Amino acid sequence: MAVIQVLEPGLFTTVQDLGREGYGPLGVSPSGAADAVSLMMGNRLVGNAEGEAGLEMTLLGGAFLFPEGAVLALAGSDFGATLDGKPVELWRRFEARAGKVLRLGPTQSGARCYLCVLGGIEVELLLGSASTHILSGLGGHEGRALRKGDVLKIGTHRWKMPSGWAASFRKREWVLSDRVLDALEPRKELRVTDGPQNDRFSEAAKKVFYESTYRVAEDSNRMGIRLQGPGIPAPVGGEMISEGVALGAVQVPEGGQPIILFVEQQTTGGYPKIANVASVDFHSLGQLRPRDEIRFRRVEGLGARTMLVLQETVLRSDLRDRRLLPYESRRFKN
Amino acid sequence: MGYTFASMGNLAGEGARFQIASDQSLLVYFDQVDKTDRSKDRPLQDQEQGRAEARPLQSQPLQSRARQNQITVQANEKVRKLLRLLELEPVAGVRNLHPAYCSLLVKFDVLKLQHGEVEEILRGYLARLEEVKLPEPRMVEIPVSYGGEFGPDLAEVGALLGMTAEQVIELHSSVEYQVYFLGFVPGFAYLGELPEGLVTPRLATPRRKVPAGSVGIAGNQTGVYPFATPGGWRLLGRTPLAMFRADRAELSLLSIGDRVKFVPISREEFVAAEARGN
């Protein structure tokens, strides 16, 4: 079985897929890729199902040896990757021949870069997902970030195509269109809808929130993105009862410095939520680095949905271009 | 069609109220309380893990607290019934459910469903809550070694409440608790209610790291930390039991609706249990 040998783990590299939804009643948050859109696009580029597990690198990438070779793609932020010393582009399928080393360095753009491999990273699934849940030390590779010397299995892929097609597939340039690349560009102005306690915040509080620039704090992580900036005046109505919290919820604790709940979030919480980041901008959250400066823009619920539908359409447009074939259509009948 | 904000706040069957939480989730509240006035009718002295103490809890009159607890018990039963129904008859497109004391967050695939549709479906489920039979609650005993390094706040809690450490232990282990929900982190069960005499405000400054297995109290709640996490509850002891582990069929030791009793054990018994891998 083909493997990946971890020569250097990088700053914080974990195995992630699209997470484990459906276990809220156990207090288990989905986890999964912080920038799921990048992981999905990377998987499409190598020819995987979009939810296949890949490696999520944070701020500083690692070095990986492929003793048996592998078909790869890098997605998300540019970590200055080289293969055997030669630069490798983002958003492009490439092959590492047996014995080659892929090296990544510090980020040159956003927070996270994904390494996708044809066949996916094979780990034992927990509640149906390969995602690492760091806080509980569960899932992924031994429930932790990668270390030097780790060996990861590459899954077997099930490509079936008529003979003769394979060669043309191999030659085909697996890249993304400019239109798709534009849609993938992370935003610093995040679109938000009203949070469930929005009406408990005064107009003055909302003005502070929507008209200020917030800086991403150093102690932000996959559980929550902590922001520093003008304090948001406390809401009326006193303390509230703990309730379920949604991904991207912008909660305002005492002191008024907002926290955006992220992929490895607590499932319930008792802080009032002034807003909630729109799904269309979740991937931008995954690319926020400490000290990045962000702003919020309010959109209506219906508008947020329309934006997401539009984004999906754009991201899938390459599939219609047939430059990338959808996974399903690759399952030929014969 | 789009979801209009005008439809929010309407009471549905079973005294439920809907509130958009995000573009892909909807909250169902069972508190029946006008939102602007919710603070006055707070059912539980809820204590957020990372939160600094805002006000003393003893200030509330006993009677109103008892009444509020009653509200929580009833609302929580509805939460569990709705959760049960949604688990028995899953809705296509609903991706996750986050139960809490008096509410249920319903997370759905925004490309398949819209808020209005989810509300419509949930109204149908709510109309049937009466017929939902909750499973017989399981009784789970949790051994706890109280005090010492396992319960660094035991003495102070005793001092605050005018009791000896032994009295605190006896009181804490004398009652059957109910699992209102699991939340915060995997396997963390919110247990209530604490006997009146044990109601204590949380620590003014949360600990950066609470060891796994720690048994804490805050407000009129108690619970066990399944993992080493930050936390502000006052720690009375520690259990050798694993609250959440991946290598057993029931990942979480406790489930929503369970009944829980704490059983004091000695330090030696704790060490022995831990050595056995409990």
Side-chain angles (χ1 to χ4, degrees):
Chain A
M1 174 173 271
V3 298
I4 302 176
Q5 284 183 18
V6 180
L7 305 181
E8 294 295 338
L11 183 66
F12 182 76
T13 303
T14 55
V15 176
Q16 298 295 347
D17 58 12
L18 299 182
R20 47 185 72 81
E21 282 284 9
Y23 299 96
L26 292 178
V28 178
S29 53
S31 193
D35 173 358
V37 167
S38 287
L39 178 73
M40 287 193 276
M41 294 312 287
N43 273 325
R44 283 185 204 164
L45 282 167
V46 293
N48 283 340
E50 49 188 33
E52 206 68 71
L55 294 184
E56 177 179 287
M57 293 172 274
T58 316
L59 299 174
L60 174 68
F64 308 96
L65 169 69
F66 302 90
E68 295 84 12
V71 174
L72 306 167
L74 291 166
S77 287
D78 185 359
F79 279 30
T82 58
L83 182 69
D84 218 29
K86 291 184 206 75
V88 187
E89 274 178 60
L90 268 183
W91 307 117
R92 179 185 286 270
R93 175 177 185 242
F94 64 97
E95 196 170 342
R97 294 188 188 279
K100 298 293 183 199
V101 174
L102 178 72
R103 269 182 206 284
L104 299 103
T107 179
Q108 292 164 26
S109 48
R112 291 178 177 91
C113 177
Y114 292 87
L115 174 60
C116 296
V117 51
L118 176 60
I121 308 282
E122 199 171 281
V123 293
E124 204 176 314
L125 301 186
L126 172 71
L127 297 175
S129 163
S131 286
T132 315
H133 193 274
I134 285 291
L135 176 100
S136 60
L138 298 172
H141 181 73
E142 299 179 2
R144 58 168 171 82
L146 297 186
R147 293 179 196 145
K148 191 174 184 159
D150 282 342
V151 177
L152 303 165
K153 287 184 199 163
I154 298 174
T156 46
H157 55 90
R158 291 184 295 275
W159 268 33
K160 271 191 181 165
M161 59 184 78
S163 58
W165 280 50
S168 73
F169 258 73
R170 224 184 162 95
K171 267 189 285 180
R172 191 190 299 256
E173 282 250 297
W174 292 62
V175 292
L176 302 177
S177 67
D178 291 344
R179 191 163 169 242
V180 171
L181 289 174
D182 279 350
L184 287 166
E185 195 60 39
R187 296 165 57 95
K188 294 283 157 60
E189 188 199 57
L190 301 172
R191 290 161 289 192
V192 298
T193 53
D194 286 344
Q197 285 79 37
N198 172 69
D199 58 355
R200 290 177 57 176
F201 288 89
S202 65
E203 284 311 312
K206 288 177 204 168
K207 198 171 151 73
V208 169
F209 177 68
Y210 285 108
E211 294 184 4
S212 302
T213 298
Y214 287 91
R215 177 198 285 254
V216 177
E218 298 284 346
D219 58 350
S220 297
N221 55 30
R222 286 171 45 85
M223 291 175 70
I225 298 167
R226 292 171 178 274
L227 302 176
Q228 295 163 334
I232 299 163
V236 294
E239 286 180 48
M240 52 171 281
I241 311 158
S242 273
E243 62 185 30
V245 283
L247 178 62
V250 184
Q251 57 177 28
V252 182
E254 287 94 3
Q257 302 289 300
I259 301 170
I260 306 174
L261 295 180
F262 205 27
V263 286
E264 224 180 272
Q265 65 172 72
Q266 55 191 74
T267 55
T268 55
Y271 289 126
K273 279 85 67 184
I274 193 170
N276 204 105
V277 176
S279 311
V280 70
D281 284 340
F282 282 172
H283 76 279
S284 296
L285 286 180
Q287 293 298 346
L288 287 180
R289 292 186 300 179
R291 297 190 295 282
D292 273 353
E293 295 195 328
I294 59 170
R295 291 177 73 85
F296 296 97
R297 184 158 68 83
R298 187 179 174 278
V299 294
E300 293 290 339
L302 202 58
R305 184 178 188 277
T306 310
M307 288 171 198
L308 185 71
V309 172
L310 197 68
Q311 177 173 279
E312 282 288 308
T313 310
V314 172
L315 292 179
R316 285 177 190 281
S317 61
D318 266 4
L319 307 183
R320 278 205 303 276
D321 288 347
R322 289 182 53 86
R323 267 192 271 188
L324 291 177
L325 289 182
Y327 182 71
E328 283 76 18
S329 70
R330 232 183 285 117
R331 293 194 188 129
F332 296 100
K333 286 200 177 78
N334 46 337
Chain B
M1 281 311 291
Y3 193 67
T4 60
F5 282 73
S7 67
M8 279 165 36
N10 287 353
L11 289 183
E14 292 297 326
R17 191 166 54 77
F18 294 93
Q19 170 72 51
I20 292 176
S22 74
D23 65 11
Q24 54 173 354
S25 61
L26 187 66
L27 269 163
V28 188
Y29 291 114
F30 289 99
D31 51 10
Q32 294 192 25
V33 178
D34 177 44
K35 258 190 302 174
T36 55
D37 204 30
R38 215 188 301 159
S39 63
K40 290 187 199 142
D41 248 316
R42 224 157 48 93
L44 262 181
Q45 279 122 16
D46 182 30
Q47 301 288 294
E48 173 76 11
Q49 289 291 346
R51 171 186 281 173
E53 180 53 31
R55 64 191 178 86
L57 292 155
Q58 253 76 354
S59 61
Q60 236 177 351
L62 270 176
Q63 223 177 358
S64 89
R65 199 145 66 201
R67 190 180 65 83
Q68 288 170 2
N69 289 344
Q70 200 49 42
I71 296 171
T72 306
V73 170
Q74 287 167 3
N76 188 254
E77 191 176 304
K78 289 175 186 171
V79 171
R80 283 183 286 133
K81 283 185 169 176
L82 180 58
L83 175 68
R84 175 98 179 141
L85 201 50
L86 283 163
E87 285 175 341
L88 290 173
E89 300 174 27
V91 177
V94 167
R95 302 185 66 199
N96 216 333
L97 302 163
H98 294 204
Y101 284 115
C102 310
S103 63
L104 182 70
L105 179 84
V106 180
K107 189 175 168 187
F108 53 90
D109 184 342
V110 65
L111 297 175
K112 294 199 181 106
L113 285 174
Q114 299 194 40
H115 291 87
E117 293 166 327
V118 177
E119 181 179 323
E120 208 51 47
I121 294 164
L122 289 177
R123 279 180 194 276
Y125 278 60
L126 288 168
R128 295 168 49 207
L129 278 201
E130 281 300 313
E131 68 191 60
V132 179
K133 236 181 105 60
L134 290 170
E136 271 307 297
R138 294 185 311 165
M139 180 69 205
V140 183
E141 292 198 340
I142 297 181
V144 182
S145 176
Y146 286 93
E149 60 166 299
F150 293 159
D153 301 325
L154 179 64
E156 200 191 315
V157 167
L160 269 171
L161 302 171
M163 280 190 267
T164 64
E166 288 67 33
Q167 287 171 317
V168 172
I169 295 170
E170 203 190 310
L171 207 48
H172 186 255
S173 56
S174 67
V175 215
E176 236 181 62
Y177 300 99
Q178 145 126 27
V179 178
Y180 281 111
F181 65 102
L182 277 69
F184 176 48
V185 296
F188 189 101
Y190 285 78
L191 304 170
E193 286 85 41
L194 217 49
E196 200 55 53
L198 274 183
V199 173
T200 320
R202 68 191 308 294
L203 295 170
T205 311
R207 288 186 170 87
R208 293 198 82 87
K209 204 156 207 179
V210 173
S214 295
V215 179
I217 59 171
N220 57 2
Q221 311 164 103
T222 181
V224 186
Y225 287 86
F227 302 100
T229 55
W233 292 21
R234 292 179 193 264
L235 308 181
L236 303 184
R238 200 180 298 173
T239 178
L241 293 187
M243 302 306 290
F244 193 96
R245 54 196 283 179
D247 59 352
R248 66 180 177 208
E250 295 265 336
L251 287 102
S252 177
L253 182 72
L254 300 176
S255 307
I256 191 167
D258 283 352
R259 310 287 297 180
V260 174
K261 205 154 186 271
F262 293 105
V263 182
I265 59 168
S266 67
R267 208 191 148 81
E268 290 69 38
E269 286 171 300
F270 179 98
V271 173
E274 210 175 38
R276 280 198 309 273
N278 54 73

